[in-house]
Amino acid sequence: MVQWKAEERAAIQAVFAKLDYESVGRETLTRLLVVYPWTRRYFGGFGNLFNSEAIMANPKVAAHGIVVLQGLEMALKNMDDIKNTYASLSELHSEKLQVDPGNFQLLGDCLTVVIATRMRTEFTPDIQAAWQKFLAVVVSALRKQYN
């Protein structure tokens, strides 16, 4: 079980408080699909993902970006039991969607870049450390079904 310091919890909550789910979600998923084009294979039902302009304009990308952030919010609300909170999501991504588990880390990295560019100097090393710890726990929980 992960131990969270009060300062880490506060830092993670502060990051979430600043997130505009619509724009951050869209930008994060767009960044994933553009920088790591092989991830597009998991989004076959999303329509045109052939170039960065099409990806940025795709409403399904924007909608799924919001879903991703809402999923992370589930982890925020259940920080002491993320593994069990994500059990069904892990199974879905592993068994039904057959997503390569390494993509969870790539998505987390893209989200971190987006947050850092928006928060700028407010994304201090301490806040980033807490955020990275949070994402590591989330990624581990999502990978659980793969083990």
Side-chain angles (χ1 to χ4, degrees):
M1 186 168 114
V2 176
Q3 300 295 317
W4 298 101
K5 297 177 186 171
E7 298 84 11
E8 292 171 328
R9 288 178 190 271
I12 295 162
Q13 289 169 347
V15 170
F16 269 95
K18 294 182 183 300
L19 293 183
D20 171 0
Y21 282 26
E22 187 174 331
S23 65
V24 171
R26 176 192 302 266
E27 187 176 341
T28 299
L29 199 52
T30 295
R31 182 176 293 272
L32 176 77
L33 296 170
V34 170
V35 176
Y36 307 105
W38 61 88
T39 62
R40 295 177 195 171
R41 67 179 169 222
Y42 302 110
F43 300 95
F46 278 36
N48 183 359
L49 300 176
F50 299 120
N51 57 47
S52 58
E53 292 81 18
I55 293 168
M56 286 186 279
N58 190 307
K60 290 183 179 182
V61 170
H64 193 65
I66 293 169
V67 169
V68 167
L69 292 178
Q70 289 170 336
L72 280 174
E73 187 177 7
M74 263 183 7
L76 173 70
K77 292 177 179 176
N78 296 283
M79 286 180 68
D80 294 317
D81 197 18
I82 293 174
K83 184 164 58 169
N84 287 323
T85 299
Y86 273 30
S88 62
L89 274 176
S90 177
E91 185 175 345
L92 170 69
H93 284 84
S94 168
E95 303 300 323
K96 184 177 179 191
L97 302 175
Q98 299 180 337
V99 173
D100 180 331
N103 291 331
F104 301 131
Q105 183 65 50
L106 297 177
L107 182 62
D109 291 347
C110 290
L111 177 58
T112 301
V113 169
V114 170
I115 289 170
T117 59
R118 288 170 181 247
M119 289 182 66
R120 307 184 69 133
T121 58
E122 291 178 81
F123 200 58
T124 65
D126 288 340
I127 290 174
Q128 183 178 355
W131 182 253
Q132 292 297 140
K133 179 178 176 180
F134 174 72
L135 288 180
V137 173
V138 166
V139 167
S140 176
L142 285 169
R143 293 178 68 114
K144 181 180 182 294
Q145 183 67 26
Y146 294 83
N147 297 331

